Amino acid sequence: MDKAGKTVALETLKGVFGESGAVVVAHYTGLTVAEMTKLRGMLRKDGAQLKVVKNRLAKIALDGQGGDAAQELFSGPVAIAYSPDPVSAAKATDEFAKENDKLVIIGAVMGDQVLDAKGVESLAKLPSLDQLRGKLVGLLQAPATKVAGVVQAPAGQLARVVAAYGSKDAA
């Protein structure tokens, strides 16, 4: 890679570390092209991306973020999974790592915080941002539905009583 290419890659990585909710770091030794494509597809489905990075450029792009612990994550053949939502990249990567032993999750950088492999697994168990939004909308709509049911109940009961008297008089 020439100097101009390194500069572009460095700026891209700085953007990734700055804008992503969490950057999951994993070793991918032994993965075939088909397996990497499958992993990329799983990540893309959740709104995340996968990138194979040069360790030296990643360490420079971190720019002190996460301290020495974050620097130590970048050794060996490293790929990073990232997304604006901190949970989706961790969830898809953890799911793939359970199916395939060749992908080994090392940790993650989440802002200035560095997570180990167990931390990434815990992060993957959390609901995604879209799931949380859905639950919140459901919670907000539930009281309105209950209020409408309570308001309509007396009118429905009155209509049934009138109908019962009407059928009684007709008989």
Side-chain angles (χ1 to χ4, degrees):
M1 189 182 296
D2 62 342
K3 190 169 184 165
K6 287 181 183 178
T7 304
V8 171
L10 185 62
E11 291 303 315
T12 304
L13 283 174
K14 282 183 180 180
V16 166
F17 287 120
E19 297 169 6
S20 298
V23 178
V24 179
V25 181
H27 283 166
Y28 64 94
T29 304
L31 284 177
T32 64
V33 173
E35 291 168 334
M36 286 289 276
T37 304
K38 180 181 177 185
L39 174 59
R40 282 189 166 102
M42 289 174 65
L43 287 163
R44 199 173 302 116
K45 182 182 74 174
D46 291 340
Q49 295 180 358
L50 181 77
K51 187 172 190 71
V52 175
V53 296
K54 287 184 163 280
N55 294 331
R56 191 168 163 275
L57 289 177
K59 289 177 182 179
I60 294 169
L62 277 171
D63 197 28
Q65 184 179 357
D68 291 337
Q71 300 280 331
E72 291 173 9
L73 294 175
F74 293 95
S75 63
V78 170
I80 58 172
Y82 56 94
S83 70
D85 176 17
V87 177
S88 58
K91 189 172 287 207
T93 308
D94 185 57
E95 183 180 326
F96 186 82
K98 287 179 182 175
E99 296 172 6
N100 196 322
D101 295 339
K102 296 174 190 171
L103 183 75
V104 179
I105 297 174
I106 302 168
V109 178
M110 201 165 124
D112 284 335
Q113 189 176 11
V114 178
L115 304 174
D116 60 352
K118 294 286 185 193
V120 173
E121 187 178 326
S122 298
L123 185 63
K125 291 178 184 174
L126 294 174
S128 71
L129 196 56
D130 288 338
Q131 290 171 335
L132 287 174
R133 286 180 184 146
K135 286 181 182 181
L136 185 61
V137 168
L139 288 172
L140 291 174
Q141 286 181 342
T145 307
K146 289 179 182 175
V147 167
V150 168
V151 170
Q152 289 178 349
Q157 289 174 348
L158 181 63
R160 282 192 288 278
V161 169
V162 170
Y165 276 118
S167 65
K168 180 179 173 185
D169 289 339

